[in-house]
Amino acid sequence: MRGRLVPGLVLLAVPVLVALLGPLLASAFSARGVAFGGTGVLGGDFVGRDVLGQVLRGGASVVGVAVLATAVTYAVSGPLALLAATTHRRAVDEAVMRPLDVVVAMPSMLLLLLLVPIVPGSALVVAGVVALINLPDVVRIVRATALAVAAGTAVEALRMQGEGVVRVGAYVLRSVRRVVLTDLGTRFTGALYLVASAAFLGVGLSADDPNWAVMVDANRDGLFVNPAATVVPALLIIALSVGANLTSDRLLGGAR
Amino acid sequence: MIAVEGLRIVAGSAVPVDDVSFTVGAGRVLALVGESGSGKTSTALALLGEARPGTVVTGSVVVDGSVGYVPQHPGSVLHPVRRVGSLLRETARHAGVPRAEVRAAVRDALCRAQVADPDELLGRHRHQLSGGQQQRVVIAQALLGGARVIVADEPTTGQDTPTRRRVAEELAALVADGVTLVLCTHDLALVRALADDVVVLRRGVVVEGGPVADVLGTPRHEYTRALVAAEPGVPGVRGVRPSPDVSGGTRCAPKVSGGPPLTAGVPVLTATDVTADHRARGRSRRALHGVSLELEVGARVALVGRSGSGKTTLARVLAGLHAPSSGTVELRGEPLAAHLTRRRRDQVAAVQYVFQDARASFDEHRPVLDQVARTALLLRGHADAGERARACLARVGLGADVVTRLPRSLSGGELARAALARALLAEPEVLVCDEVTAGLDTLTRGGILDLLAGTDAGLLVVTHDPAVVARLAEDVVVLDEGRVLERGPVAQVLADPREELTRALLGSPVPTPTR
Amino acid sequence: MTAVLPRSRRRVLPLPGSLGAYAVRRLGLGVVQVLVVAVVVFLLTDRLSGDAAVVIAGDDPDPVTIAALRAELGLDRPVWVRLGEWLGGALSGDLGSSLVTGRAVTAVIADGLPVTLLLAGLTLVVLVPLSLALGMLAARREGGPADRVVTATTIGLYSLPEFALGVVLVTVFAVQLGWLPPTGIGVADPAVFVLPVVVLLARPVCSLSRLVRAGMVDALASDHVAHARRVGFSDRAVLWRHALPGALTPAVQQLARTTDWLIGGVVVVEAVFVLPGLGTALVDTITARDVPVVAGIALVLACGTVLFNLAADLLARLLNPVAS
Amino acid sequence: ACSSGPAAPAVGTPRPGGTLRAAFAGSGATETLDPHTQNLYAELARAKMLYDKLAEYGSDLSVVPRLAERFEPSADQTRWRVPLRAARFHDGRPVRAADVLASYARILGPTPGMRGRSGLATLDLPNCRAIDDRTVEFALKAPYAEFPNATAALGTAIVPEGATDFDRAPVGSGPFRFESFEPGRRFRVVRNPEYWEGAPLLDAVELLVSNDEAARVNALLGRQVEYAHDLSPTTAAGYADRVVVTRLPRSSMQSLAMKVDRPPFDRPEVRQAMYAMVDREEMVRTLLAGSGTVGNDLYGKGFRYYADDIPQRTYDPDRARALVRAAGLEGVRIPLDTAAAGSGMVEAASVLRDQAARVGLTLDVVTGNASTYYSDVRDEGVLAVYRSGALPIESHISQRLLSTSATNFTQWRRPAFDALYAQAQATGDDTARTGLYRQMQQQLHDDGGFLVWGFSDFLVGSDPRVGGIDPTAPANTLDWARFDRVWLA
Ligand SMILES: Nc1ncnc2c1ncn2[C@@H]1O[C@H](COP(=O)(O)OP(=O)(O)OP(=O)(O)O)[C@@H](O)[C@H]1O
Ligand SMILES: Nc1ncnc2c1ncn2[C@@H]1O[C@H](COP(=O)(O)OP(=O)(O)OP(=O)(O)O)[C@@H](O)[C@H]1O
Ligand SMILES: [Mg+2]
Ligand SMILES: [Mg+2]
Ligand code: NI
């Protein structure tokens, strides 16, 4: 089991280390050359900055936004979903679910296009909007999955013992952990995706910001002149999300 | 034909099954008997080539032909999403029944499994079946499967007396057709009626084995003798093991101090004109039609009825797990909320319920002891909840080595007892027990009944077992199709049942020998 | 005297809790949802910086011109007046007309809808079987090579945003190999849709197949599947008929969101492949602050989303009888 | 700078026939064919095929008469007599003086969004008259020596009197006749055999729309179009071997607009610091990938009246640093507005920020909303990235640099400067006027608000079979996107 953990962890470690330590080393790589030219190891980006420097600087914000957005999504929607699933009052369930239905019916791209420009260029706003977009989805998935467990005998027995919302919720959450963790993994990937898509649509982070997701968009015109400027950040993003998902799979597999 | 040689199952430091060997010839019936936790289910699983998680099986097991299995806990093996009918039809088709005859075959199998209204049941999901109905559906599935070897683990625990007898007859008919049967059971009457040979297990070791007549007729081993002696209907003899001490030690349910004086004749729990409905296929089915019930302080009432008559439904209404469509439930004159979550903590503690499916009522991720102890902490605020839980579990016969494990590594009977201990720790005024003794061997059952008899709590005991009624109850209520058919003091009802059904239910627990 | 309803009258409505009653209730709710979405979108678009007048003025933002434009377009009136007017029209089936071109909003929608529907439809047709197959393949042996390959590929594809994936595919299959048309510029060749659909699939296939996998792994470890194996059902039957039905709940919930992903994806894919659908229209009209058109398109999209959600919820109830 | 790379056109001599497909950026569903309200290059190109103006800009932005035979001013520059060429609309009617007056009346009328209005605003419409069918006489409210500029400006096409249905049945006098139009998708015209300047070579032109530059290139590479407008220098470099790239020189001015009426740019020494701080060579090298030239803080390099004798400003970081320090601006954060409103604008801000940092100036890049950017920065903010297409220098001044200008992005309001402009417009003599423009430009160069760091070329990609693309015409001028001169080999 141990050995199987390694590929995922390595994939995860590379981007995370680059993101964490990169900013410390980045100042060494700030020469400016010709667009997509230059002398750096990885060449220049669309404004001639050293791609290596940008890569080293650009991890923190990507990882930060994705982690933050995913964390906020789950911090809000997890409890809501569990509440809706375990409550015995229909009114509570409705009070949670119906307002979300409105957000659900709202095309998420539209939310991105309309809400992000309110404070242009703010990573926090992007994270917030990404969280908002994911919120109803997560609530629905977790609630639906938890409903069957919540209606089960074990939960009745917990109630019979006088257990409160917290323990009942914890039990239900634990029973649906695989789905939740899987969803969490894809949400994380989805957050990366949304940051990049926002850049493509011209909202959110400025093309100028060091951010892997944004780099993929900003440098794609130079794909044939300096492939490294697009490919390296793209590979780092892929490594990050594939690594995170493989590792969580493996941890779950080991737990059973 | 089955040949087991040197079967040994190791679970960490424990050895649930050690050096078990036996053979069963084709078309013969072997019964595995023994007290709860003696290794019956473990052995049965080994016959299927399976092992519980965390256990290692060694030794040789040879089984000729396909094996059909009736598990001890039928609820969890039925599909949670698909309807009963679809499952059974698929089984029939798989067994090679021609398309045109599938429906008929399924009907037939359900009838043989004693399902009264097969057509109604076919459209149900598993959670819409009563405990006994689930068991019979699983039996029907085994019948349909057409296996030449059937391993049946406690196939009759959840059934009422007449049904049990007829299920036994069906199994006998199967054997007559040449099917080999391995029966795990605590029901010695069933063993006598059905089995050719018997193997007696104790703590995973074979203590004795041989033809039924020899072993049960003239038991050589002390343990077997005790098992036989503790059989209901043979009064006066107790197990060789000291039965759980009822008078001294830590009492699971001491008198509630500070409450109103407990005088007999004062109603604690009153249910008035309770009707309850279930929904199936978008339609509403009435399970209880205006049932009224009054439980006095310290009273011990047995609730009997055919499988599916609404016993569990009534029990769940009282416990606040099922909202009645009309009618009220009152505790000491104070109306109780229909739903548990809206009852006050002391009310929850006062009315406790032991679930029919003990295994399903535990959180599979936490050790049994931790779960059981929570009751004492939450409902009674005892700081020493862990200690109390340990003591109470010991009194139902569960040692520290057993209860510190996860639920999945406990046997069916062990879990049932743990569930009982969990409810007792709430020191309830009224304890509603749903078939707590159904999965227990004669010896263990005796101890548990003594324990129950010794509590101060008012008891409402749901059971199919006439011996339990006779031994424990003062009053009996007979339920039929959601209506109270008859009620009265046990002695009177037993002596002179007014209704035919009552006679059948409370009649001889021993199935008439069929072979 | 109390009038007693004739017995039959009481039974007209489906029983509360039945599938039919649920659907009716949800449809009613859906109408409200759609209207709320339209209103929110109207207001949000309106409060974006600038307005249609400013956009029309472009790089020659003469204040006098802008003021005149505003007056002409009625943008000098308070937003709720315009909203009220638009809503009134919308409720009577008239979605108004574009601020910029004066074209009827319904005409703009009718122009874009076919392309978008075609894209979404094609994607859905491939999506469901593909994600089921991948999810089940991965779940068969948890942690096995197939599992890891499927996980790595689907996640990898999903980590690449649509535009990047589109660029790669176009470069390889259209520009270098010349097998497929690179863009939809001015062509009516069905081959135009191949690459966009592949790109559109990347995202939902990943989430769906991952959730199918998660559900399947749990289901395969459950007692009822173990029992189905004992009964001797074939591997296929166990997988499809016993494990799958109980494993689908989370995936169905996610499937309910497909319309939403598709809308998101379509916006990008239409831009990359130059397919003039609703997504492109949406981005263009937001850019142009063309509030009535944006709200009109949002209305259509919300209708799609609501209907699809409803269908998925009905399916979810079938798959989760305990909870319903 | 003309065609580059090995894929030089092998097109031979002009040859009639064929359909040219051209890809332009557009604005999708909000596009219109109304020639008087247009904004986008795609719309201009379409209008050019369908309509004529009285005049167009030549490649040096001087006026080239088109429907006008010539422009004859009165001595005081307030009355202009314009004889018209013998031309016919597509429906066969002749182009008459009444049509010209009706078109201008429409532009100056109440319909909002008329692009040509600011240029034509000096027309005293009630006093203009048709002398005969082929001669117009314009009356102006003030002397305006460069009145012909206004008749060549954007959105001044001549439409038939009474025309209303521009989107479905547009009728003009241009080289092509309308066939079909789907906004945001496709526009198709066919040859007008009776065009006054001679029939075009092509049978038909299809103008297709794609906002994504990569898609336009891909379409070109995939042979879905033969002409792709507005490529990035990077793409041009990447595909130099597969497509023909034509560089339309100096098509846009790249600059920074400093608001001279507010701190910190109200102080001339701060503007001096800015002039010295910018490394123009680096900007051109990195941002324009060589497709452009450095600027000298003056608009219109290579255009008529451009003061190319004013010495070129050079990069002087030391002087800049000293000035910044002296002005006490070290550590002060100055917001720099930008938006993706034109290609390279966001990038420019990024490079400028870095260059400013080298001299101790801190610029905070604020990326705003593209579609409303110009209106957002017109009166707000202090420093903005600014880009402008080709216009005559006179128009640039009158629209952006007079006290009365509606879009004065630098808030440059100097009565002396205004007076020079008025004087120039009242001067009929070309040399004298050239001198006045020289003086105005000297003032702007000394301490104006525009920091013009460069001029970028417009890149057009085309299939090697396409001939006749003029490599000297900046975008917006007569010979740009002139499909009546193009042929397919
Ligand atoms: N993983 C394990 N670790 C330790 N002990 C185990 C494990 N699994 C089972 N046991 C023990 O093995 C014994 C045999 O269990 P088994 O289920 O076979 O009993 P049984 O005879 O079927 O009892 P019952 O009649 O109560 O169902 C039990 O005491 C149980 O606690
Ligand atoms: N959730 C449900 N939906 C529909 N019908 C149900 C549901 N639960 C129980 N029933 C039906 O209601 C009737 C009463 O069930 P109940 O569980 O009370 O029976 P019981 O007397 O406890 O039977 P057993 O002895 O088999 O446990 C049965 O016919 C059963 O099939
Ligand atoms: Mg057992
Ligand atoms: Mg029951
Ligand atoms: Ni409940």
Side-chain angles (χ1 to χ4, degrees):
Chain A
M1 218 76 242
R2 267 287 126 79
R4 295 237 175 131
L5 204 53
V6 171
L9 274 183
V10 170
L11 277 181
L12 187 59
V14 172
V16 168
L17 285 181
V18 174
L20 290 181
L21 305 180
L24 307 177
L25 311 171
S27 52
F29 306 95
S30 28
R32 191 185 274 279
V34 191
F36 298 115
T39 51
V41 191
L42 299 178
D45 72 352
F46 70 114
V47 279
R49 286 172 303 199
D50 192 336
V51 169
L52 184 57
Q54 290 301 104
V55 164
L56 290 174
R57 282 183 205 99
S61 107
V62 127
V63 177
V65 169
V67 167
L68 186 69
T70 319
V72 169
T73 309
Y74 264 85
V76 178
S77 56
L80 276 182
L82 290 178
L83 179 69
T86 54
T87 183
H88 265 281
R89 292 162 212 238
R90 189 185 197 126
V92 175
D93 188 14
E94 301 274 314
V96 173
M97 297 308 291
R98 296 296 81 92
L100 287 176
D101 276 347
V102 173
V103 187
V104 160
M106 185 93 173
S108 54
M109 246 335 135
L110 203 55
L111 274 182
L112 203 66
L113 283 168
L114 293 178
L115 287 184
V116 173
I118 291 177
V119 187
S122 156
L124 274 183
V125 171
V126 176
V129 174
V130 170
L132 179 67
I133 287 174
N134 282 324
L135 196 85
D137 299 22
V138 174
V139 172
R140 285 173 61 101
I141 291 185
V142 176
R143 173 180 167 276
T145 318
L147 269 178
V149 181
T153 311
V155 167
E156 288 180 339
L158 286 175
R159 290 237 164 80
M160 202 80 229
Q161 286 186 283
E163 294 282 12
V165 201
V166 176
R167 282 277 181 138
V168 171
Y171 164 72
V172 172
L173 190 61
R174 183 147 187 196
S175 306
V176 298
R177 67 193 186 285
R178 180 180 304 278
V179 166
V180 168
L181 272 180
T182 300
D183 183 67
L184 199 98
T186 40
R187 292 286 154 209
F188 177 73
T189 308
L192 295 170
Y193 157 92
L194 281 173
V195 175
S197 286
F200 176 81
L201 294 171
V203 296
L205 299 178
S206 148
D208 185 41
D209 285 338
N211 178 309
W212 296 338
V214 177
M215 282 175 79
V216 175
D217 174 48
N219 291 328
R220 73 197 159 101
D221 283 350
L223 189 61
F224 291 95
V225 189
N226 180 13
T230 335
V231 172
V232 172
L235 284 182
L236 282 167
I237 290 179
I238 293 179
L240 181 65
S241 46
V242 173
N245 282 282
L246 280 183
T247 309
S248 81
D249 275 7
R250 207 57 60 237
L251 289 177
L252 267 180
R256 70 169 35 252
Chain B
M1 114 107 196
I2 302 171
V4 174
E5 188 60 49
L7 178 69
R8 185 178 155 87
I9 300 178
V10 180
S13 59
V15 187
V17 173
D18 196 2
D19 195 21
V20 168
S21 308
F22 56 83
T23 57
V24 191
R28 292 183 66 80
V29 182
L30 172 81
L32 291 172
V33 299
E35 63 182 342
S36 170
S38 59
K40 303 183 293 293
T41 300
S42 305
T43 309
L45 282 174
L47 290 180
L48 300 169
E50 292 177 28
R52 290 216 176 104
T55 61
V56 180
V57 181
T58 54
S60 99
V61 175
V62 181
V63 180
D64 276 355
S66 58
V67 189
Y69 181 56
V70 179
Q72 188 170 7
H73 293 278
S76 64
V77 302
L78 289 171
H79 202 281
V81 172
R82 290 173 58 191
R83 297 178 196 277
V84 167
S86 129
L87 201 65
L88 291 181
R89 283 194 296 273
E90 190 190 347
T91 313
R93 277 199 303 275
H94 174 71
V97 176
R99 240 161 219 292
E101 292 159 34
V102 163
R103 279 180 177 282
V106 167
R107 257 194 82 95
D108 177 55
L110 283 172
C111 287
R112 282 164 66 200
Q114 304 308 315
V115 173
D117 43 357
D119 297 323
E120 162 77 31
L121 240 59
L122 284 177
R124 300 263 191 97
H125 293 286
R126 80 168 180 204
H127 70 279
Q128 294 166 330
L129 301 178
S130 79
Q133 286 166 338
Q134 288 177 343
Q135 197 164 31
R136 279 173 283 158
V137 169
V138 175
I139 294 174
Q141 199 184 7
L143 295 178
L144 270 176
R148 301 309 295 161
V149 177
I150 290 184
V151 177
D153 198 349
E154 313 277 13
T156 60
T157 38
Q159 312 301 338
D160 55 72
T161 312
T163 309
R164 191 156 14 146
R165 186 176 306 135
R166 265 174 257 130
V167 168
E169 282 164 13
E170 281 306 326
L171 291 176
L174 272 185
V175 175
D177 283 350
V179 169
T180 312
L181 183 64
V182 175
L183 201 60
C184 305
T185 187
H186 57 80
D187 184 348
L188 297 184
L190 182 70
V191 175
R192 287 206 187 82
L194 214 52
D196 300 306
D197 299 304
V198 65
V199 168
V200 182
L201 286 171
R202 185 190 192 189
R203 298 194 188 136
V205 182
V206 177
V207 291
E208 190 167 358
V212 171
D214 295 357
V215 175
L216 295 189
T218 50
R220 270 168 293 153
H221 198 278
E222 195 186 11
Y223 174 69
T224 320
R225 241 175 283 148
L227 273 180
V228 173
E231 212 180 335
V234 188
V237 190
R238 289 279 162 88
V240 282
R241 215 171 39 170
S243 65
D245 179 8
V246 196
S247 43
T250 315
R251 306 187 51 161
C252 286
K255 278 195 164 91
V256 184
S257 50
L262 301 177
T263 19
V266 177
V268 208
L269 191 70
T270 336
T272 319
D273 217 6
V274 168
T275 60
D277 298 291
H278 289 295
R279 233 172 33 223
R281 310 207 91 169
R283 281 179 299 116
S284 198
R285 263 190 88 260
R286 184 134 294 183
L288 293 177
H289 303 264
V291 173
S292 299
L293 194 78
E294 199 165 273
L295 210 65
E296 288 164 6
V297 172
R300 303 203 292 259
V301 178
L303 182 61
V304 300
R306 306 191 58 124
S307 172
S309 58
K311 302 182 295 296
T312 298
T313 309
L314 178 57
R316 288 170 55 86
V317 167
L318 298 179
L321 294 167
H322 187 106
S325 307
S326 68
T328 52
V329 179
E330 288 172 7
L331 179 71
R332 297 190 176 283
E334 192 185 351
L336 284 176
H339 211 281
L340 193 57
T341 44
R342 274 173 246 185
R343 291 188 180 174
R344 286 198 316 270
R345 189 153 280 226
D346 60 296
Q347 292 174 329
V348 172
V351 183
Q352 281 284 302
Y353 173 64
V354 186
F355 292 84
Q356 185 169 9
D357 188 346
R359 190 167 291 275
S361 74
F362 278 94
D363 172 355
E364 59 194 295
H365 307 296
R366 288 190 296 146
V368 172
L369 177 64
D370 296 4
Q371 299 189 47
V372 169
R374 293 284 293 173
T375 307
L377 179 70
L378 287 168
L379 293 180
R380 289 295 169 201
H382 293 304
D384 57 344
E387 276 318 303
R388 284 168 180 268
R390 250 173 224 280
C392 194
L393 284 163
R395 283 166 50 76
V396 296
L398 300 175
D401 56 325
V402 175
V403 297
T404 47
R405 297 199 303 253
L406 294 180
R408 65 159 186 249
S409 66
L410 265 64
S411 82
E414 287 166 348
L415 273 178
R417 284 176 278 156
L420 178 62
R422 176 170 62 182
L424 284 174
L425 280 171
E427 299 159 24
E429 288 179 61
V430 174
L431 180 62
V432 183
C433 301
D434 203 345
E435 318 240 1
V436 272
T437 57
L440 296 181
D441 62 281
T442 46
L443 274 176
T444 320
R445 180 171 51 193
I448 295 300
L449 290 181
D450 287 346
L451 174 71
L452 282 177
T455 60
D456 298 323
L459 289 176
L460 180 68
V461 182
V462 178
T463 185
H464 289 303
D465 191 341
V468 173
V469 178
R471 177 94 177 266
L472 193 63
E474 296 156 350
D475 290 314
V476 62
V477 176
V478 184
L479 213 54
D480 184 39
E481 309 217 317
R483 290 192 174 80
V484 176
L485 186 69
E486 183 169 1
R487 70 173 96 199
V490 170
Q492 181 192 324
V493 173
L494 277 180
D496 178 23
R498 266 187 291 136
E499 302 285 337
E500 189 52 42
L501 177 65
T502 314
R503 192 187 313 275
L505 288 173
L506 297 180
S508 160
V510 188
T512 41
T514 48
R515 359 187 293 141
Chain C
M1 210 187 97
T2 8
V4 180
L5 279 177
R7 199 138 184 77
S8 60
R9 281 283 299 281
R10 293 194 195 148
R11 277 275 162 194
V12 172
L13 280 177
L15 217 82
S18 79
L19 218 57
Y22 177 74
V24 168
R25 201 165 55 87
R26 282 287 305 267
L27 268 183
L29 189 81
V31 174
V32 179
Q33 272 171 276
V34 169
L35 286 180
V36 172
V37 167
V39 168
V40 170
V41 169
F42 194 103
L43 295 177
L44 280 179
T45 314
D46 190 77
R47 67 166 305 295
L48 286 177
S49 75
D51 56 20
V54 168
V55 175
I56 293 172
D59 61 358
D60 181 27
D62 179 347
V64 183
T65 320
I66 292 177
L69 266 171
R70 274 200 188 119
E72 150 92 355
L73 298 174
L75 290 173
D76 49 353
R77 295 170 306 157
V79 61
W80 50 268
V81 174
R82 286 178 281 130
L83 174 62
E85 222 173 76
W86 183 83
L87 258 186
L91 288 175
S92 60
D94 170 21
L95 294 178
S97 53
S98 158
L99 292 178
V100 182
T101 62
R103 276 190 356 126
V105 172
T106 40
V108 177
I109 293 173
D111 270 358
L113 200 57
V115 170
T116 305
L117 274 185
L118 191 63
L119 269 180
L122 284 173
T123 310
L124 267 181
V125 166
V126 187
L127 170 68
V128 174
L130 185 65
S131 19
L132 279 184
L134 288 178
M136 289 169 70
L137 180 69
R140 275 185 89 136
R141 231 165 68 67
E142 196 196 356
D147 184 8
R148 284 202 268 179
V149 168
V150 169
T151 302
T153 331
T154 53
I155 292 282
L157 283 179
Y158 182 15
S159 328
L160 270 186
E162 274 114 358
F163 64 82
L165 188 59
V167 168
V168 173
L169 291 181
V170 167
T171 308
V172 175
F173 292 103
V175 174
Q176 300 298 342
L177 297 173
W179 292 351
L180 292 164
T183 71
I185 286 190
V187 271
D189 180 357
V192 163
F193 287 99
V194 175
L195 292 179
V197 166
V198 171
V199 173
L200 273 181
L201 277 174
R203 195 176 169 213
V205 150
C206 171
S207 340
L208 272 187
S209 65
R210 294 279 297 150
L211 285 175
V212 169
R213 172 192 175 279
M216 283 295 284
V217 170
D218 277 344
L220 286 173
S222 70
D223 283 353
H224 70 270
V225 168
H227 194 68
R229 290 223 169 87
R230 287 179 199 133
V231 172
F233 292 128
S234 69
D235 265 11
R236 277 243 325 262
V238 168
L239 219 54
W240 284 93
R241 291 208 282 272
H242 294 265
L244 192 63
L248 277 180
T249 300
V252 165
Q253 287 301 327
Q254 187 69 347
L255 186 65
R257 307 295 294 133
T258 315
T259 36
D260 188 61
W261 307 320
L262 288 181
I263 293 163
V266 156
V267 168
V268 175
V269 164
E270 286 179 357
V272 171
F273 292 96
V274 200
L275 299 167
L278 271 195
T280 316
L282 186 63
V283 178
D284 291 341
T285 49
I286 289 182
T287 309
R289 308 288 187 261
D290 202 339
V291 183
V293 189
V294 176
I297 296 178
L299 196 84
V300 172
L301 298 183
C303 280
T305 313
V306 164
L307 286 179
F308 209 83
N309 267 329
L310 175 59
D313 280 354
L314 292 180
L315 186 58
R317 280 173 74 96
L318 287 180
L319 290 174
N320 209 345
V322 190
S324 51
Chain D
C2 57
S3 310
S4 73
V11 286
T13 46
R15 189 187 82 79
T19 299
L20 180 90
R21 292 166 299 174
F24 277 71
S27 66
T30 63
E31 290 174 1
T32 150
L33 272 190
D34 185 333
H36 296 157
T37 62
Q38 300 180 327
N39 255 327
L40 307 164
Y41 285 121
E43 290 172 334
L44 301 182
R46 282 193 285 246
K48 195 174 214 170
M49 290 187 254
L50 291 177
Y51 301 98
D52 281 314
K53 297 186 219 161
L54 288 189
E56 291 272 10
Y57 302 130
S59 295
D60 67 347
L61 277 290
S62 59
V63 167
V64 180
R66 299 289 292 161
L67 282 179
E69 202 103 44
R70 60 193 173 273
F71 293 88
E72 299 166 351
S74 63
D76 63 352
Q77 314 291 330
T78 57
R79 297 194 84 79
W80 290 74
R81 179 178 293 239
V82 181
L84 299 181
R85 225 178 270 283
R88 284 184 178 280
F89 287 114
H90 301 152
D91 58 5
R93 283 182 289 162
V95 178
R96 299 162 306 139
D99 296 314
V100 174
L101 289 175
S103 299
Y104 286 3
R106 177 168 190 261
I107 294 164
L108 293 172
T111 323
M114 294 285 137
R115 269 316 286 257
R117 187 183 287 148
S118 53
L120 292 175
T122 51
L123 270 189
D124 179 12
L125 207 53
N127 290 320
C128 299
R129 61 198 175 102
I131 292 178
D132 58 41
D133 256 7
R134 296 265 304 276
T135 317
V136 205
E137 188 183 76
F138 295 105
L140 307 186
K141 294 174 188 154
Y144 189 13
E146 307 233 32
F147 169 70
N149 274 348
T151 68
L154 297 189
T156 55
I158 305 304
V159 302
E161 193 177 4
T164 49
D165 193 358
F166 293 100
D167 273 350
R168 267 169 301 168
V171 171
S173 60
F176 294 94
R177 287 179 181 170
F178 176 77
E179 193 170 285
S180 66
F181 176 53
E182 297 164 57
R185 302 186 187 184
R186 174 201 301 257
F187 167 77
R188 189 180 157 91
V189 289
V190 293
R191 172 198 291 139
N192 172 13
E194 287 155 35
Y195 189 49
W196 58 266
E197 212 182 5
L201 294 162
L202 294 168
D203 291 335
V205 178
E206 257 177 49
L207 195 148
L208 304 161
V209 170
S210 156
N211 281 340
D212 193 43
E213 190 253 359
R216 292 196 294 273
V217 178
N218 288 331
L220 186 60
L221 292 169
R223 304 211 155 213
Q224 293 181 308
V225 299
E226 286 81 28
Y227 181 100
H229 189 250
D230 196 1
L231 306 187
S232 75
T234 313
T235 328
Y239 292 107
D241 52 337
R242 297 183 56 178
V243 302
V244 180
V245 176
T246 311
R247 291 164 202 275
L248 311 181
R250 297 183 292 276
S251 287
S252 29
M253 167 191 80
Q254 305 283 356
S255 70
L256 271 180
M258 303 178 271
K259 298 237 174 356
V260 299
D261 65 338
R262 62 198 70 173
F265 299 108
D266 53 348
R267 285 185 283 170
E269 65 272 23
V270 178
R271 278 175 260 155
Q272 295 297 331
M274 292 293 287
Y275 297 146
M277 164 210 103
V278 176
D279 183 350
R280 293 149 207 261
E281 301 286 346
E282 186 188 68
M283 298 287 282
V284 170
R285 196 174 59 236
T286 59
L287 291 173
L288 308 182
S291 295
T293 54
V294 295
N296 192 24
D297 300 332
L298 290 174
Y299 182 81
K301 191 171 191 174
F303 296 172
R304 189 167 182 219
Y305 301 126
Y306 182 77
D308 43 14
D309 56 338
I310 298 180
Q312 171 66 43
R313 198 97 72 185
T314 49
Y315 177 48
D316 190 348
D318 298 330
R319 184 173 126 80
R321 203 170 296 117
L323 283 166
V324 166
R325 196 168 306 136
L329 283 179
E330 277 171 318
V332 179
R333 311 184 79 91
I334 303 169
L336 166 57
D337 286 305
T338 187
S343 64
M345 288 175 64
V346 176
E347 291 88 333
S350 152
V351 179
L352 281 167
R353 177 189 51 200
D354 288 1
Q355 295 187 353
R358 281 186 233 152
V359 301
L361 204 59
T362 313
L363 300 183
D364 280 337
V365 176
V366 181
T367 310
N369 224 295
S371 58
T372 57
Y373 177 71
Y374 288 108
S375 131
D376 293 343
V377 299
R378 185 188 61 219
D379 300 313
E380 302 298 316
V382 293
L383 183 64
V385 174
Y386 186 83
R387 181 183 192 264
S388 162
L391 282 179
I393 288 173
E394 179 274 320
S395 307
H396 170 70
I397 292 174
S398 70
Q399 288 173 23
R400 299 168 185 153
L401 292 166
L402 300 183
S403 303
T404 51
S405 297
T407 53
N408 196 333
F409 287 93
T410 54
Q411 307 294 321
W412 172 265
R413 295 179 209 282
R414 302 287 149 104
F417 186 85
D418 294 352
L420 280 176
Y421 174 79
Q423 197 186 338
Q425 295 318 318
T427 308
D429 175 38
D430 262 7
T431 350
R433 206 161 51 225
T434 309
L436 289 167
Y437 277 121
R438 170 75 174 70
Q439 283 181 44
M440 283 185 261
Q441 292 181 62
Q442 185 66 55
Q443 284 190 15
L444 290 172
H445 186 260
D446 287 346
D447 65 351
F450 278 118
L451 191 168
V452 182
W453 57 262
F455 293 91
S456 55
D457 303 340
F458 229 92
L459 304 187
V460 167
S462 57
D463 192 280
R465 292 177 304 139
V466 179
I469 300 174
D470 188 312
T472 61
N476 282 1
T477 60
L478 172 61
D479 290 323
W480 159 81
R482 202 169 172 195
F483 296 116
D484 51 326
R485 292 289 174 85
V486 165
W487 71 89
L488 278 171

